[in-house]
């Protein structure tokens, strides 16, 4: 036991000696939370728009000034014809355009009605949908102003309650994702490199001939990263609460317990990777490039999993981060108890047990 | 010149000797480019809805039928009380609970308006806002019909209002498929990973195992060493870009609308800028681990700030400035414009100057730093 402590201390020195890596390790969550919280909202505003007004009458001017004063749009110089609109799209300075035909105002009151064309750059479909909806709402609003009789006298008014997120905090579902991503990176990538480095440098042989069980070597290697990950976790929680005003609704103890479980899963994965590879470069590429994109894409915090082809839904089921993301969402953001997340917890337990067993097996083979 | 040839030979050998690095550089981006766009789909469909109808009147049933049949919503179950509905939201089996109070129809006819209660799982911002706007448009439609039905049940309407017909045109992607937006974006990200990341690792590796010292005592000049490092990776980058374009066409049927020459000109400059970044990272790092983390740190920021996921225009001002200082932002924008809209060089020349600027500054800094540190 005393030996183990000495060994762990040695590993801690190893980790804390490298100031630059440490700076990044702690800087990363801070930067991510700030970026996700402030810069990356799913809001759509200040989007470039151009108007082709062939009518130049009171009505078209009124609609244009409505668009100008809206926070959603950034009015560009008026265009004179369709090729002009296309050019503006090709320059990337607008994402939608509105076209008024000749006689727009006078057509309003004859039997056919007047028409307006809204052109959206649909290469980004969601933005196009949102912009088109904004414009449609503005125009029908204007229509009602012109003609109060149009207001329906019978209507059903929806009363919407935003559960778990009254402030409409756009960054809410990113936070569990960021936590999962950071753990994946810190625990998996760092651990995988730590063991391989000893191999590359040839110091592994020395460790293995020491009167020290190989299992202990691995444990001692992993513990500093467990501590680092937990510190990071606390930093993220503090930032979320005090900077982004996220309310932690559930039990902190449960949240911590689940997080430790997930960190252990990541550490086991890291150990496994490091036992399968022989160079730091390979270990890093597998754990960073191989893990980062799938975690980002298939965890469910960027893209809805239910839209994906079934094969991805299957793959996302074998990613530990997906279960952890669900757990954090339920406990931290919805305030639910263990009875809601026991299934996911079991899955993570099974995964970490399996990965750890595999890692140790592979490790023993190397001794022969 | 002769020295240069030898160095390049050595570097290429090193790259092609290591099968894993090779696979990482060519196979992995290809596979990811084939696979990822299928997953990267922001489209919101299948919003799971449940309802509790306390009124059981013909209007409440009509309304529910209208919502369910609109095609946006999927009925996820039949809770008996609001509490049960809420539990379904907590479990994640439902996104929206719709509750219609007793006396809904009677009061609607009598008073002209009635509220219905919607409870939305608002953790996922996009889903709840898009779902809300779907529901509003369904309701608006329903309200219009309601009005007509109550006022003139025999179908004789005499209202002649001023009317505007809105014609919505979706350009560049009439079927509103997400792949058009995502595939070029993912290609740029993968290229960035390869160009910035592997270069940095490769140079730091020489430092870490001490071979850089050996090279320093040979008559090879520093600039030869650096060029010898960068040229192979530039060629690798251009090859990956080409493979990416082929994948984009063969798998996704997207062929660049604009000129390939323009696209490659941008890619060439962008890669030079990236390699400069990789070199710069390598001067700051002593170990591969450090290099990887620095690279990852930047990669993360690039990815978030580049407009790959969100509109850069909608960010706060400080973030827009930051995003303009990110090379990826400009390249993603250009690739999307040239590939999807066929933009000409003259239309995107501003982005080109940005990239040239990055290439000069990053490489300048890297060389300056490199001379200082070794």
């Amino acid at each position: 036991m005393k030996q183990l402590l000495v060994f762990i201390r040695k590993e801690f020195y190893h980790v804390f000696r490298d100031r630059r890596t440490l700076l990044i390790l702690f800087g990363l969550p801070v930067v991510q939370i700030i970026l996700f919280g402030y810069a990356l909202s799913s809001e759509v505003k200040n989007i470039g728009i151009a108007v082709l007004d062939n009518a130049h009458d009171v009505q078209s001017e009124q609609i244009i000034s409505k668009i100008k004063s809206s926070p959603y749009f950034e009015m560009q110089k008026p265009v004179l014809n369709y090729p002009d609109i296309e050019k503006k799209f090709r320059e990337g300075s607008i994402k939608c355009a509105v076209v008024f035909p000749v006689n727009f105002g006078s057509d309003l009151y004859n039997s056919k009605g007047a028409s307006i064309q809204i052109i959206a750059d649909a290469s980004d479909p969601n933005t196009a949908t949102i912009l088109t909806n904004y414009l449609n709402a503005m125009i029908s609003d204007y229509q009602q102003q012109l003609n109060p009789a149009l207001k329906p006298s019978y209507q059903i008014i929806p009363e919407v309650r935003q559960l778990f997120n009254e402030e409409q905090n756009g960054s809410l579902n990113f936070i569990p994702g960021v936590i999962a991503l950071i753990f994946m990176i810190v625990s998996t990538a760092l651990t995988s490199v730590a063991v391989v480095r000893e191999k590359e440098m040839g110091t592994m042989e020395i460790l293995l001939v020491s009167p020290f069980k190989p299992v202990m070597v691995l444990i001692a290697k992993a513990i500093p990263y467990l501590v680092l990950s937990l510190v990071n976790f606390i930093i993220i929680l503090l930032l979320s609460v005090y900077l982004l005003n996220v309310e932690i609704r559930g039990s902190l103890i449960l949240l911590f317990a689940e997080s430790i479980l997930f960190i252990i899963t990541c550490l086991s994965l890291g150990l496994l990777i490091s036992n399968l590879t022989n160079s730091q470069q390979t270990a890093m590429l597998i754990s960073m490039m191989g893990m980062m994109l799938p975690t980002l894409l298939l965890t469910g915090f960027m893209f809805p999993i239910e839209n994906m082809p079934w094969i991805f839904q299957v793959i996302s089921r074998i990613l530990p981060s997906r279960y952890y993301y669900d757990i954090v969402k339920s406990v931290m953001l919805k305030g639910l108890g263990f009875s809601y997340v026991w299934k996911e917890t079991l899955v993570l337990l099974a995964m970490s047990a399996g990965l750890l067993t595999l890692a140790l097996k592979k490790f023993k083979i190397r001794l022969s | 010149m002769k020295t240069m040839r030898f160095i390049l030979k050595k570097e290429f050998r090193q790259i092609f000797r290591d099968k894993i690095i090779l696979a990482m550089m060519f196979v992995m981006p290809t596979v990811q480019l084939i696979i990822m766009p299928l997953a990267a789909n922001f489209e919101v469909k299948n919003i799971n809805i449940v309802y509790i109808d306390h009124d059981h009147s013909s209007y409440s049933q009509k309304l529910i039928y209208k919502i369910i049949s609109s095609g946006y919503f999927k009925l996820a179950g039949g809770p008996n009380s609001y509490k049960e509905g809420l539990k379904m939201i907590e479990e994640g089996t439902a996104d929206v609970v719709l509750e219609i109070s007793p006396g809904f129809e009677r009061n609607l006819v009598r008073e002209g308006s009635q509220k219905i209660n919607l409870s939305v799982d608002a953790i996922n911002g996009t889903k709840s806002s898009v779902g809300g706007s779907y529901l509003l448009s369904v309701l608006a439609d329903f309200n219009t019909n309601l009005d007509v039905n109550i006022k003139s049940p025999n179908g004789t309407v005499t209202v002649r209002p001023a009317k505007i017909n809105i014609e919505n045109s979706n350009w560049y992607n009439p079927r509103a498929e997400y792949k058009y937006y995502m595939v070029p974006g993912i290609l740029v990200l993968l290229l960035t990973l390869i160009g910035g990341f592997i270069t940095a690792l490769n140079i730091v590796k020489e430092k870490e195992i001490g071979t850089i010292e050996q090279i320093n005592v040979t008559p090879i000049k520093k600039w030869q060493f650096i060029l010898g490092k960068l040229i192979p990776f530039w060629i690798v980058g251009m090859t990956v870009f080409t493979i990416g374009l082929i994948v984009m066409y063969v798998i996704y049927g997207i062929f660049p609308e604009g000129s390939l020459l323009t696209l490659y000109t941008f890619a060439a400059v962008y890669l030079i800028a990236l390699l400069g970044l990789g070199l710069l990272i390598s001067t700051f790092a002593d170990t591969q681990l450090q290099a990887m983390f620095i690279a990852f740190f930047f990669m993360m920021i690039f990815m978030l700030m580049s407009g790959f996921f969100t509109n850069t225009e909608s960010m706060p001002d400080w973030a827009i400035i930051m995003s303009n200082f990110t090379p990826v932002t400009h390249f993603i924008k250009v690739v999307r414009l040239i590939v999807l809209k066929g933009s000409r060089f003259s239309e995107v020349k501003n982005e080109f100057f940005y990239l040239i600027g990055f290439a000069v500054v990053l490489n300048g800094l890297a060389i300056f730093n490199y001379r200082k540190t070794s």
Side-chain angles (χ1 to χ4, degrees):
Chain A
M1 199 60 221
K2 198 171 156 213
Q3 263 182 328
L4 182 66
L5 283 179
V6 173
F7 207 85
I8 291 174
R9 194 181 302 154
K10 165 197 166 272
E11 289 298 331
F12 259 106
Y13 281 136
H14 249 317
V15 173
F16 283 91
R17 214 179 34 196
D18 184 354
R19 289 286 150 78
R20 269 175 256 184
T21 307
L22 274 184
L23 188 71
I24 288 198
L25 281 186
F26 293 122
L28 192 67
V30 176
V31 170
Q32 285 213 316
I33 287 283
I34 291 173
L35 290 188
F36 269 114
Y38 287 103
L40 262 190
S41 79
S42 35
E43 262 185 305
V44 176
K45 53 181 193 224
N46 303 332
I47 304 289
I49 185 170
V51 173
L52 169 54
D53 185 0
N54 297 320
H56 289 296
D57 47 30
V58 180
Q59 286 78 5
S60 71
E61 302 282 349
Q62 279 173 332
I63 293 180
I64 292 170
S65 74
K66 245 183 154 34
I67 297 172
K68 266 189 187 146
S69 61
S70 127
Y72 304 128
F73 298 106
E74 192 70 44
M75 183 66 80
Q76 308 293 317
K77 282 199 202 72
V79 284
L80 303 172
N81 49 33
Y82 275 99
D84 245 8
I85 295 182
E86 285 182 51
K87 191 166 163 35
K88 281 262 195 286
F89 272 121
R90 282 200 306 266
E91 285 168 356
S93 55
I94 60 169
K95 286 204 169 136
C96 57
V98 177
V99 183
F100 293 95
V102 182
N103 305 333
F104 173 77
S106 50
D107 280 353
L108 262 178
Y109 297 100
N110 71 24
S111 58
K112 285 206 317 290
S115 51
I116 265 186
Q117 188 186 15
I118 294 175
I119 303 166
D121 168 7
S123 60
D124 174 1
N126 265 10
T127 306
T129 306
I130 292 172
L131 294 178
T132 310
N133 284 348
Y134 283 158
L135 284 168
N136 277 312
M138 264 182 220
I139 292 164
S140 58
D141 214 34
Y142 175 76
Q143 201 169 249
Q144 283 197 359
Q145 274 176 17
L146 282 186
N147 191 338
L150 261 185
K151 200 169 179 333
S153 42
Y154 290 95
Q155 49 182 343
I156 294 163
I157 303 152
E159 233 181 33
V160 182
R161 280 181 55 202
Q162 306 282 355
L163 299 172
F164 317 119
N165 185 8
E166 287 90 359
E167 301 82 31
Q168 297 276 305
N169 194 333
S171 52
L172 216 50
N173 60 325
F174 286 129
I175 289 165
V178 171
I179 300 175
L181 199 63
I182 298 269
F183 284 167
M184 209 68 196
I185 302 310
V186 174
S187 312
T188 310
L190 275 181
T191 326
S192 73
V193 173
V195 181
V196 175
R197 190 196 294 144
E198 303 262 9
K199 276 195 222 173
E200 246 185 0
M201 302 279 180
T203 41
M204 203 58 174
E205 311 308 337
I206 300 169
L207 288 180
L208 293 181
V209 295
S210 67
F212 212 72
K213 283 207 186 72
V215 181
M216 291 293 169
V217 177
L218 285 190
I219 289 177
K221 280 253 168 250
I223 282 184
Y225 295 114
L226 178 79
V227 174
L228 271 182
S229 303
L230 273 177
V231 173
N232 257 336
F233 180 59
I234 294 168
I235 292 177
I236 295 176
L237 284 190
L238 289 174
L239 284 174
S240 312
V241 172
Y242 291 105
L243 199 66
L244 305 185
N245 304 321
V246 174
E247 187 187 347
I248 297 180
R249 292 165 186 261
S251 134
L252 266 178
I253 295 168
L254 180 61
L255 198 55
F256 265 88
E258 297 281 6
S259 300
I260 290 173
L261 174 62
F262 180 63
I263 294 171
I264 291 172
T265 317
C266 291
L267 290 173
S268 316
L269 185 62
L271 290 176
L272 181 63
I273 292 172
S274 69
N275 290 336
L276 294 175
T277 54
N278 283 320
S279 78
Q280 287 187 66
Q281 235 178 340
T282 321
M284 273 182 232
L285 287 175
I286 290 178
S287 56
M288 296 290 276
M289 296 177 90
M291 296 287 163
M292 192 173 101
L293 267 177
T295 305
L296 209 58
L297 291 174
L298 301 178
T299 297
F301 76 103
M302 282 280 182
F303 308 101
I305 292 178
E306 65 255 34
N307 286 357
M308 298 178 189
W310 65 269
I311 182 79
F312 289 106
Q313 308 207 18
V314 173
I315 295 171
S316 88
R317 293 230 169 266
I318 56 174
L319 283 182
S321 51
R322 183 200 165 158
Y323 296 95
Y324 178 69
Y325 171 72
D326 281 344
I327 291 172
V328 176
K329 213 166 71 171
S330 300
V331 176
M332 182 170 156
L333 303 177
K334 293 187 180 178
L336 304 175
F338 184 69
S339 59
Y340 282 89
V341 293
W342 63 270
K343 279 190 216 125
E344 286 85 356
T345 312
L346 267 184
V347 173
L348 281 185
L349 267 173
M351 280 183 177
S352 53
L355 286 169
L356 205 55
T357 317
L358 255 177
L360 291 175
K361 254 213 177 89
K362 290 283 168 205
F363 191 62
K364 285 216 179 77
I365 289 168
R366 287 206 62 264
L367 286 177
S368 52
Chain B
M1 209 53 234
K2 204 164 152 196
T3 328
M4 210 58 231
R5 240 205 335 265
F6 278 120
I7 298 175
L8 286 177
K9 219 183 248 170
K10 165 215 164 228
E11 292 294 340
F12 271 115
R13 269 211 195 120
Q14 266 184 335
I15 292 175
F16 284 92
R17 200 180 43 197
D18 192 336
K19 291 283 173 287
I20 290 182
I21 298 289
L22 211 56
M24 277 289 166
M25 278 195 309
F26 294 108
V27 181
M28 199 208 56
T30 311
V31 170
Q32 291 204 336
L33 188 64
I34 293 172
I35 290 175
M36 290 305 169
L38 297 172
N41 188 340
F42 274 115
E43 205 186 326
V44 178
K45 50 182 184 195
N46 297 342
I47 297 167
N48 294 315
I49 194 166
V50 293
Y51 63 88
I52 303 112
D53 182 2
H54 296 296
D55 196 35
H56 299 293
S57 58
S58 71
Y59 273 120
S60 74
Q61 274 158 9
K62 266 186 197 148
L63 175 66
I64 287 162
Y65 176 74
K66 174 109 189 157
I67 291 170
I68 304 289
S69 63
S70 68
Y72 303 125
F73 300 96
K74 215 168 84 193
L75 192 58
N80 295 316
S81 64
Y82 178 72
K83 218 171 154 175
E84 271 181 45
L86 196 62
K87 196 166 178 325
M88 292 180 77
I89 285 199
E90 285 175 346
E91 287 166 352
T93 46
D95 302 310
V96 186
V97 176
L98 165 75
E99 193 181 22
I100 298 177
S101 49
F104 167 81
E105 180 175 348
R106 202 188 56 226
N107 297 338
L108 180 68
V109 177
R110 199 179 296 163
E111 294 160 24
S113 76
Q114 261 302 284
K115 291 194 168 78
I116 50 170
N117 295 313
L118 292 169
S119 302
V120 185
D121 177 354
I123 287 178
N124 183 335
T126 316
K127 199 165 180 173
S128 63
S129 63
V130 174
S133 81
Y134 283 159
L135 209 81
L136 287 182
S137 68
V138 172
L139 276 177
D141 206 27
F142 189 79
N143 283 337
T144 317
N145 291 329
L146 192 73
D147 213 42
V148 172
N149 285 338
I150 295 183
K151 274 187 196 151
S152 64
N154 323 330
T156 48
V157 192
T158 47
V159 194
R160 262 281 340 113
K163 201 162 170 344
I164 302 177
N165 314 309
I166 303 171
E167 180 198 332
N168 289 309
S169 329
N170 278 339
W171 283 11
Y172 306 111
N173 184 8
R175 284 202 300 275
E177 290 172 280
Y178 241 93
K179 63 177 190 190
Y180 289 101
Y181 200 57
M182 277 301 164
V183 179
I186 290 173
L187 172 61
V188 171
L189 285 186
L190 289 169
L191 192 67
T192 311
L193 270 175
I194 304 285
F197 198 75
I198 297 196
T199 327
L201 277 185
N202 183 290
I203 300 174
V204 174
K205 189 177 178 181
E206 303 253 16
K207 262 196 204 177
E208 206 176 7
I209 51 184
T211 39
I212 210 161
E213 298 299 325
Q214 292 167 11
I215 290 174
N216 282 344
V217 294
T218 59
I220 292 176
K221 297 198 173 52
K222 278 212 179 74
W223 62 267
Q224 289 174 322
F225 172 75
I226 293 178
L227 269 184
K229 281 280 172 211
L230 297 189
I231 291 171
F233 281 110
W234 186 86
I235 293 172
V236 166
M238 288 305 257
T239 314
V240 168
F241 188 63
T242 309
I243 295 173
L245 288 181
I246 294 169
V247 168
M248 197 157 83
Y249 177 63
V250 172
I251 308 279
Y252 289 99
I254 304 169
F255 193 79
E257 295 279 337
S259 98
L260 282 175
L261 182 67
T262 314
L263 199 55
Y264 270 95
T265 312
F266 272 99
V269 177
Y270 179 64
L271 266 174
I272 294 172
L274 272 188
L275 296 173
L277 180 73
L279 189 63
L280 186 62
I281 290 173
S282 73
T283 61
F284 281 116
D286 300 321
T287 64
Q288 294 178 63
L289 185 68
Q290 284 177 350
M292 179 187 75
F293 268 93
I294 299 171
F296 176 73
F297 187 74
F298 279 112
M299 222 21 240
M300 221 46 239
I301 294 176
F302 285 0
M303 210 169 334
L304 297 179
M305 300 304 282
S306 64
F308 172 68
F309 296 114
T310 51
N311 290 305
T312 42
E313 301 97 316
S314 305
M315 293 177 177
D317 289 341
W318 61 267
I320 293 178
I321 294 168
M322 240 181 99
S323 127
N324 266 328
F325 276 105
T326 314
V328 190
T329 311
H330 302 282
F331 193 56
I332 277 196
K333 190 174 173 183
V334 161
V335 170
R336 276 175 178 162
L337 284 174
I338 296 175
V339 169
L340 303 174
K341 302 199 182 86
S343 303
R344 302 185 190 103
F345 185 82
S346 59
E347 285 157 345
V348 285
K349 61 178 184 302
N350 278 350
E351 313 299 325
F352 189 72
F353 295 138
Y354 264 114
L355 290 181
I356 292 268
F358 283 123
V360 172
V361 170
L362 286 169
N363 283 292
L365 274 176
I367 290 164
F368 175 76
N369 246 332
Y370 186 84
R371 283 165 63 178
K372 240 183 21 191
T373 49
S374 51

